[in-house]
Amino acid sequence: MEFNGPLRSNGYTLSNSPERLGFLEASDPAWPLSRLREQYQAQGYLWLKGLLDRQIVLDFRGWYFEQFIGTGLLAPESDPREGIYSGQPLEDPAQVHRIMVGVVRTPEYAAFCHNSAIVRFYQTFLGGEVHLYQRKLIRYTRPDDPNCTGAHYDRVYLRQGSDAFCSSWLPIGDTPVEMGGLTYLEGSHPLGLELEIRVADANQSGDWLSKDLGSVAESAKLRWLVANYEAGDMVVHSPYIIHASTMNGSPASRMRLSTDIRYQLASAKIDRRWGNDWSPEDML
């Protein structure tokens, strides 16, 4: 697998040496449950290829960007499904913000996150009835926006419930490496757990580890793993694996669209702070 580099995140350039950059290993959702669980424990993630119906994902992408027609976000007369960025300043940024926040409260978004393929996977993988946290994030990323998610692990944000939850990242549309997407620090879930123990012992709140992904990889002597994601894929990852995002460098000015959702067994302890829809002011 090849791509045109370099990859950037928050103004930093990632090393493309084979010691510091590699590729995710794909998994087939049809594999035996024992194999998927073994791979998840070993890697800290599963990149499930084609779990969702591709057409459903692309249709939802089109519906999402249709909400922004007339705001100046999309290139004039472009197909909303393509999500082509206009490249122009927004006339009313507050309107765009309201639409973005409002989408998480729509039945269309709820149906997407409760897709039967996702629910069936988690019921089987976790071994029982499952709970989807109401707080879910969906966001677009404009081309060449240097602001990316820094290196972190998810347990930091859900400490008042069980740590047996699974995070899912779903690319809503094809997302090749040059468009960014999530990148995972290979084999870092034991490191994340170790860091969490230290933070808990010191009674610290925790946050991003760093915006400089290169220094994180160098310090840990590990590789960042990237992928050419496709519509229909879903990544499942451990609460402790360290991950981040890279800049969208789409040469066609396509916006990246993705959603973050979290499932766990309904019988496990639930972090009640995550029982409301996402809003920028929730401080979680």
Side-chain angles (χ1 to χ4, degrees), residues 97 101 104-105 134-137 157 272-284:
H97 182 77
V101 173
V104 302
R105 293 157 175 80
Q134 183 67 21
R135 186 180 188 272
K136 306 178 293 295
L137 285 79
Y157 306 112
R272 298 297 175 185
R273 299 172 304 156
W274 280 59
N276 299 312
D277 290 316
W278 167 80
S279 69
E281 299 81 21
D282 64 16
M283 303 300 290
L284 293 176

Side-chain angles (χ1 to χ4, degrees), residues 12-38:
Y12 297 95
T13 300
L14 279 68
S15 169
N16 61 1
S17 74
E19 291 79 24
R20 295 292 171 261
L21 190 67
F23 293 94
L24 289 178
E25 181 178 342
S27 301
D28 187 337
W31 283 348
L33 178 60
S34 59
R35 181 176 179 181
L36 291 173
R37 284 177 171 168
E38 181 179 351

Side-chain angles (χ1 to χ4, degrees), residues 116-273:
S116 59
I118 300 175
V119 175
R120 283 197 305 269
F121 168 79
Y122 272 122
Q123 286 175 338
T124 301
F125 187 70
L126 297 176
E129 290 303 310
V130 293
H131 170 79
L132 170 62
Y133 276 102
Q134 183 67 21
R135 186 180 188 272
K136 306 178 293 295
L137 285 79
I138 181 169
R139 47 195 159 188
Y140 63 82
T141 304
R142 294 170 296 177
D144 300 323
D145 184 346
N147 299 299
C148 304
T149 302
H152 69 287
Y153 58 91
D154 286 353
R155 178 60 170 168
V156 168
Y157 306 112
L158 288 102
R159 285 188 171 137
Q160 295 185 16
S162 167
D163 71 347
F165 66 88
C166 294
S167 293
S168 282
W169 184 81
L170 292 96
I172 305 174
D174 294 339
T175 308
V177 172
E178 58 264 27
M179 284 184 67
L182 279 201
T183 177
Y184 291 87
L185 193 62
E186 185 176 28
S188 63
H189 45 305
L191 174 59
L193 177 58
E194 179 183 332
L195 291 171
E196 177 64 12
I197 292 171
R198 289 184 199 169
V199 167
D201 287 345
N203 196 29
Q204 298 174 350
S205 59
D207 202 346
W208 288 358
L209 303 176
S210 176
K211 289 185 176 182
D212 184 351
L213 305 190
S215 68
V216 171
E218 192 61 40
S219 176
K221 299 295 186 271
L222 297 172
R223 302 188 300 171
W224 286 106
L225 304 179
V226 296
N228 287 315
Y229 300 108
E230 297 178 292
D233 294 352
M234 181 174 82
V235 187
V236 179
H237 67 252
S238 156
Y240 295 111
I241 192 168
I242 296 169
H243 55 288
S245 69
T246 57
M247 191 177 76
N248 178 3
S250 170
S253 296
R254 291 181 66 242
M255 287 183 279
R256 184 174 80 236
L257 182 63
S258 63
T259 187
D260 302 37
I261 60 178
R262 291 164 179 85
Y263 274 88
Q264 68 171 58
L265 282 173
S267 58
K269 184 179 180 182
I270 293 171
D271 191 329
R272 298 297 175 185
R273 299 172 304 156

Side-chain angles (χ1 to χ4, degrees), residues 17-119:
S17 74
E19 291 79 24
R20 295 292 171 261
L21 190 67
F23 293 94
L24 289 178
E25 181 178 342
S27 301
D28 187 337
W31 283 348
L33 178 60
S34 59
R35 181 176 179 181
L36 291 173
R37 284 177 171 168
E38 181 179 351
Q39 192 172 44
Y40 179 78
Q41 291 299 322
Q43 297 179 160
Y45 72 87
L46 291 173
W47 174 22
L48 300 170
K49 293 295 299 174
L51 178 74
L52 282 73
D53 182 280
R54 176 179 175 84
Q55 197 59 49
I56 288 175
V57 177
L58 294 178
D59 286 347
F60 180 73
R61 178 181 172 87
W63 174 85
Y64 178 88
F65 282 120
E66 282 175 1
Q67 311 311 302
F68 296 91
I69 291 176
T71 66
L73 179 67
L74 302 173
E77 300 182 5
S78 62
D79 182 351
R81 184 176 302 199
E82 292 298 316
I84 304 299
Y85 177 49
S86 70
Q88 301 300 316
L90 299 174
E91 293 183 7
D92 188 354
Q95 179 193 17
V96 172
H97 182 77
R98 286 193 298 271
I99 294 171
M100 183 179 67
V101 173
V103 163
V104 302
R105 293 157 175 80
T106 63
E108 289 84 357
Y109 179 54
F112 184 80
C113 296
H114 285 91
N115 182 284
S116 59
I118 300 175
V119 175

